[in-house]
Amino acid sequence: MRPDIRGLRTVAVGLVIIYHIWPAVLPGGFVGVDVFFVISGFLIVGSLVGEVAEKGTINLLSFYGKRMRRLLPAASVVLVATLVGMVVLLPETNTFAKTLAPVLAGRLGL
């Protein structure tokens, strides 16, 4: 990845982190999310334009397959860690059964 884009992503993530830790210090830190989405859009469009230039078409199945292979493992780890944390840290609430269904639905994209 280009160093300038990597730097912008770092600044965007930094803004969001600072906003969450010290909201009074950086009240507009949520703008980092917008910057991150713009950068992601730029990279995705560049990837699609490159595919069109190379192959003359866009294979959407391949495009979404690559995104799923990249994002779903990390998302699965976060969901499992959240469920384990909930059971360990909040056993008295007895909401495991209520929470499991929405978590699995989110994981399956339903």
Side-chain angles (χ1 to χ4, degrees):
M1 181 183 301
R2 292 174 22 191
D4 55 342
I5 293 176
R6 186 174 298 163
L8 283 173
R9 283 178 52 170
T10 302
V11 169
V13 170
L15 290 172
V16 173
I17 290 172
I18 292 170
Y19 174 70
H20 282 289
I21 295 173
W22 302 291
V25 172
L26 192 63
F30 57 86
V31 171
V33 174
D34 297 335
V35 172
F36 194 84
F37 281 136
V38 169
I39 293 168
S40 295
F42 173 78
L43 294 172
I44 289 170
V45 169
S47 170
L48 294 174
V49 167
E51 185 174 347
V52 168
E54 181 182 317
K55 299 178 182 176
T57 186
I58 297 173
N59 183 343
L60 288 178
L61 188 61
S62 171
F63 173 78
Y64 283 113
K66 289 176 189 175
R67 267 73 214 146
M68 289 174 60
R69 283 189 297 276
R70 185 174 62 88
L71 297 173
L72 287 181
S76 297
V77 169
V78 168
L79 289 172
V80 168
T82 301
L83 285 173
V84 169
M86 183 189 70
V87 169
V88 171
L89 299 173
L90 303 171
E92 70 280 354
T93 60
N94 196 18
T95 59
F96 183 74
K98 293 178 188 175
T99 306
L100 183 60
V103 168
L104 289 177
R107 170 62 176 90
L108 298 173
L110 302 175

